[in-house]
Amino acid sequence: MAEGTSSGIALESQKQLFEAIHEKYAEATTDEFAEGYKEEFIYRPILEMLGDAKSLMELASGIGSAAGWMRDHKPGLEISGCDISQSAADDFTKLHNRPCYVWDLTVPLEVEQSYDALLVMGGIHHLVADLDVAFENIAKLLNPGGRLIMAEPNADFMLEPLRKLWYRLDTSHFDADNEHALSHQKLVNDHAHGLKPVDLRYIGGPAYFLLLQNWVLRMSGGAKKWIAGPALGLERLYHRLPGRLPFATFIATWEKPAA
């Protein structure tokens, strides 16, 4: 598979940002409290959606904690990754002893291998420079009958205006010109490339921010041990709310029709 390249300002801006925050992001989002949140509210629903998949690529993988968890709980699953950051790709390979490619998914890829499942944890919203090319690449990377599973920030979230302001002001963690939250329905309408939605659920209340986003809230990781229990209890109650407006994130599964 050929490596996607670009000399565009947006690509260079994102590369520089992700290289700068890689270690801090990985540390904050893979501690025991973040992993506990992800396991309960994100990973286990995704594991169900993988079905009988034998191969999985994690897109915008970082160190590949999601792919690794899936392999640990689905023995025999062959994983790989891709990321725009060389540091992340190197760490993925060291951690999982599996390949991780350095790709820009907004540039057309020459596909030589395809997968039963593609998993992306908050990576699609970084591809807004060219979502259509990104989803064209995604469609090519999937085997017939394969599934794309994505967890992305929800543009229909009732606090979205505050999140937009947060992105704009916090330039050390966000590139507001090249990332934004996504509307699932708009993705379906504009970028499906023949993929069909088969599952959609909305998640993400107070504990989502306190346990997964504490690094951008400037909250120390050590504080998590004191708040994790109450925050998770509140989160379970919060997830009983209906609709999409209360929730920061959606988890969607799209399927490529069988040949």
Side-chain angles (χ1 to χ4, degrees):
M1 215 175 284
E3 178 181 323
T5 60
S6 170
S7 59
I9 294 174
L11 171 59
E12 289 306 314
S13 173
Q14 289 214 336
K15 275 187 175 180
Q16 292 168 9
L17 176 63
F18 296 152
E19 291 288 355
I21 68 174
H22 167 62
E23 290 187 8
K24 182 166 61 174
Y25 175 84
E27 179 182 358
T29 59
T30 59
D31 63 29
E32 62 177 303
F33 306 107
E35 287 298 312
Y37 182 95
K38 289 187 286 187
E39 178 170 339
E40 180 171 352
F41 298 107
I42 302 175
Y43 288 168
R44 291 200 176 279
I46 288 174
L47 186 64
E48 294 177 11
M49 297 311 300
L50 284 179
D52 59 358
K54 301 295 191 295
S55 59
L56 176 147
M57 171 175 271
E58 185 174 356
L59 309 179
S61 60
I63 65 173
S65 57
W69 191 94
M70 297 302 153
R71 182 174 64 178
D72 289 345
H73 291 78
K74 190 176 176 60
L77 182 68
E78 185 175 271
I79 65 170
S80 56
C82 75
D83 200 280
I84 201 171
S85 162
Q86 183 68 59
S87 298
D90 291 344
D91 286 349
F92 183 108
T93 298
K94 289 176 186 175
L95 185 61
H96 304 293
N97 196 29
R98 292 291 300 162
C100 186
Y101 306 95
V102 180
W103 289 342
D104 171 20
L105 290 170
T106 66
V107 173
L109 298 176
E110 294 297 326
V111 173
E112 298 175 359
Q113 184 175 352
S114 54
Y115 303 86
D116 294 335
L118 301 177
L119 174 59
V120 56
M121 300 285 293
I124 300 293
H125 77 285
H126 293 294
L127 307 177
V128 297
D130 201 328
L131 280 172
D132 207 52
V133 169
F135 276 96
E136 184 177 2
N137 285 329
I138 285 169
K140 289 190 294 185
L141 284 164
L142 276 176
N143 290 328
R147 289 182 164 183
L148 164 68
I149 306 171
M150 52 182 163
E152 294 294 331
N154 171 31
D156 299 319
F157 181 36
M158 60 188 177
L159 298 181
E160 182 58 18
L162 289 180
R163 179 157 54 187
K164 286 181 177 179
L165 180 62
W166 179 14
Y167 278 27
R168 182 62 60 186
L169 295 177
D170 192 356
T171 56
S172 64
H173 292 104
F174 302 107
D175 181 5
D177 292 330
N178 297 300
E179 61 180 291
H180 59 69
L182 302 170
S183 164
H184 179 260
Q185 189 56 55
K186 185 170 175 56
L187 289 180
V188 173
N189 293 343
D190 297 345
H191 304 295
H193 284 278
L195 306 181
K196 305 296 183 183
V198 296
D199 191 81
L200 175 64
R201 54 193 80 186
Y202 289 90
I203 70 160
Y208 170 84
F209 293 99
L210 294 172
L211 301 182
L212 291 185
Q213 305 296 329
N214 66 291
W215 63 298
V216 288
L217 294 175
R218 275 68 174 184
M219 187 181 78
S220 73
K224 288 185 181 182
K225 66 181 179 180
W226 304 108
I227 65 172
L232 289 172
L234 178 60
E235 194 83 351
R236 295 179 190 112
L237 293 173
Y238 192 89
H239 280 179
R240 296 181 183 180
L241 294 173
R244 63 183 184 274
L245 295 180
F247 300 106
T249 295
F250 65 83
I251 303 174
T253 303
W254 294 5
E255 188 170 271
K256 185 172 183 176

